[in-house]
Amino acid sequence: LRDFVDPDLRQALHAAASGWYSHPSGWEDECLGLGGGFSAYSNFACLRLLPLPLVAAWTGFLRAQSGLPERFLVVAACFGDAPRLLLSDLASGDLLLGPISPTPHLEARQEVAAGHLRLLRVVPASAPRGRDLLLWLEELGRRLEGGVYLASPLEPPDPRSVGICLFPQAGEKHVSCVTRGIRVTASALYAPEMATFAYSIRLALVAPGEEGHLPAAQRGFETAQLHTRHWVLRQADGGADQVHGKGVVGNFPLLREGGWRDDKQRHSGRIGQGEWCEGVFVYQSLSGRGSSISFEGSIDFVPGSLEAPAGEEFAVAVPRFPLLVGADEYLF
């Protein structure tokens, strides 16, 4: 590293590797990556800054296997299912995420070729060159301080998977609304290695003292159970893809104030009762490899439960949220 001119970059690399890193020894450790993570379906990613011995090992491996030019170093890597690497171009100071797959979502961003790898710069195109790593870490810190990213389970509801969750929980990429006392919050993140967006939808029956709470007598039920979903994925040309189905990935959560029951569809097709869980029900999935620019829809709930309805089925709105990544956005 002494052969390159940027002392701040060298200092950041050494500081990140000094005493912070330990090789994952269990599920909890795999979720502690400083670069944050997420899950959707069977895909799990959590980006960890590497100590210098692993920087050398990963860099050497990619030079041998993918023709990585000598000016690149691997500074962070994902130990999950989705291959995700963070590389530094020591000649320019650019910080790059990859490998990426072809997709129309990336038309606004310039790709960088590094041997057989195709990468994206992780800071806005307008950012000055040479300090990408520091800019990226500063933006990550701002998002953590502002509540955009929170420490929460990366694979909910498993409490062992707590880490920096990259699904925004505040800001312009996050939406929220309440229908008959049921709060829906939603957001998405771009996963270039899978050429798609991952999205998160969170459901809760608003508890007393929280904004949007209604007494049971006013909302018309003590509990309500998810029955069907209707998604609308809008295209840039004005078209839309419609998705209808029962449950969400086989889940039919029964909501009550303070928590939910983890009801699932069994192999027989019947819906079996699960255990009661505290907090918010979280559904995370992928938007597909199309050219959608936004996601919205509705979820139908049954007052009471599916086995013992206590009223007419009603729709809960899922507000529209963007499926876009612009040239002047950070990538995490």
Side-chain angles (χ1 to χ4, degrees):
L1 294 176
R2 287 190 297 270
D3 295 335
F4 298 93
V5 295
D6 188 349
D8 291 325
L9 177 60
R10 295 201 306 270
Q11 185 177 6
L13 283 170
H14 281 280
S18 178
W20 175 82
Y21 181 90
S22 63
H23 193 279
S25 59
W27 179 227
E28 295 91 339
D29 289 341
E30 291 189 17
C31 300
L32 294 180
L34 184 60
F38 69 95
S39 66
Y41 285 135
S42 61
N43 300 288
F44 171 82
C46 188
L47 196 64
R48 300 173 65 99
L49 294 180
L50 300 177
L52 295 181
L54 285 184
V55 167
W58 278 81
T59 301
F61 175 80
L62 289 177
R63 285 176 182 172
Q65 299 296 319
S66 300
L68 186 70
E70 290 189 359
R71 73 177 191 272
F72 291 95
L73 283 182
V74 180
V75 297
C78 169
F79 289 93
D81 305 312
R84 175 173 280 218
L85 301 170
L86 202 61
L87 294 89
S88 179
D89 182 338
L90 296 175
S92 66
D94 288 355
L95 191 63
L96 305 158
L97 181 67
I100 65 172
S101 299
T103 171
H105 296 113
L106 299 179
E107 293 176 352
R109 301 188 79 102
Q110 183 177 357
E111 297 178 10
V112 176
H116 301 313
L117 299 178
R118 298 166 65 241
L119 310 168
L120 292 174
R121 192 179 179 211
V122 298
V123 303
S126 58
R129 312 305 278 257
R131 302 175 63 85
D132 282 13
L133 178 58
L134 298 179
L135 291 174
W136 187 78
L137 290 172
E138 287 173 356
E139 178 64 19
L140 177 61
R142 280 191 289 268
R143 295 188 185 197
L144 289 167
E145 289 180 346
V148 176
Y149 296 154
L150 301 175
S152 61
L154 303 186
E155 283 204 348
D158 190 342
R160 299 173 303 162
S161 68
V162 170
I164 298 174
C165 181
L166 295 180
F167 287 113
Q169 295 302 303
E172 61 182 13
K173 298 285 188 179
H174 175 261
V175 297
S176 177
C177 75
V178 178
T179 305
R180 285 186 66 176
I182 295 178
R183 175 181 291 116
V184 176
T185 61
S187 61
L189 60 87
Y190 187 63
E193 67 276 17
M194 293 186 285
T196 188
F197 282 85
Y199 64 88
S200 172
I201 296 176
R202 298 167 183 252
L203 306 171
L205 190 55
V206 182
E210 297 178 344
E211 184 178 356
H213 173 259
L214 293 175
Q218 188 173 349
R219 66 181 180 240
F221 53 86
E222 292 281 352
T223 63
Q225 188 160 20
L226 188 151
H227 186 205
T228 61
R229 70 188 186 281
H230 172 215
W231 304 148
V232 181
L233 288 88
R234 300 195 180 277
Q235 316 297 322
D237 62 5
D241 293 328
Q242 309 274 341
V243 179
H244 299 266
K246 292 186 176 182
V248 286
V249 196
N251 295 291
F252 295 80
L254 177 72
L255 304 184
R256 70 176 180 187
E257 291 181 359
W260 51 282
R261 194 175 70 193
D262 191 19
D263 291 7
K264 298 179 181 292
Q265 189 171 30
R266 310 303 186 192
H267 292 298
S268 63
R270 299 185 61 185
I271 299 171
Q273 291 188 8
E275 297 182 355
W276 284 101
C277 305
E278 295 183 356
V280 177
F281 172 78
V282 182
Y283 162 61
Q284 295 173 178
S285 189
L286 302 174
S287 66
R289 294 199 174 197
S291 57
S292 303
I293 63 170
S294 69
F295 186 113
E296 63 192 280
S298 62
I299 301 173
D300 290 335
F301 277 85
V302 173
S305 68
L306 296 178
E307 287 187 338
E312 294 292 327
E313 194 167 297
F314 63 97
V316 171
V318 177
R320 182 182 301 183
F321 56 92
L323 302 177
L324 293 169
V325 54
D328 284 321
E329 295 184 41
Y330 283 86
L331 290 178
F332 289 95

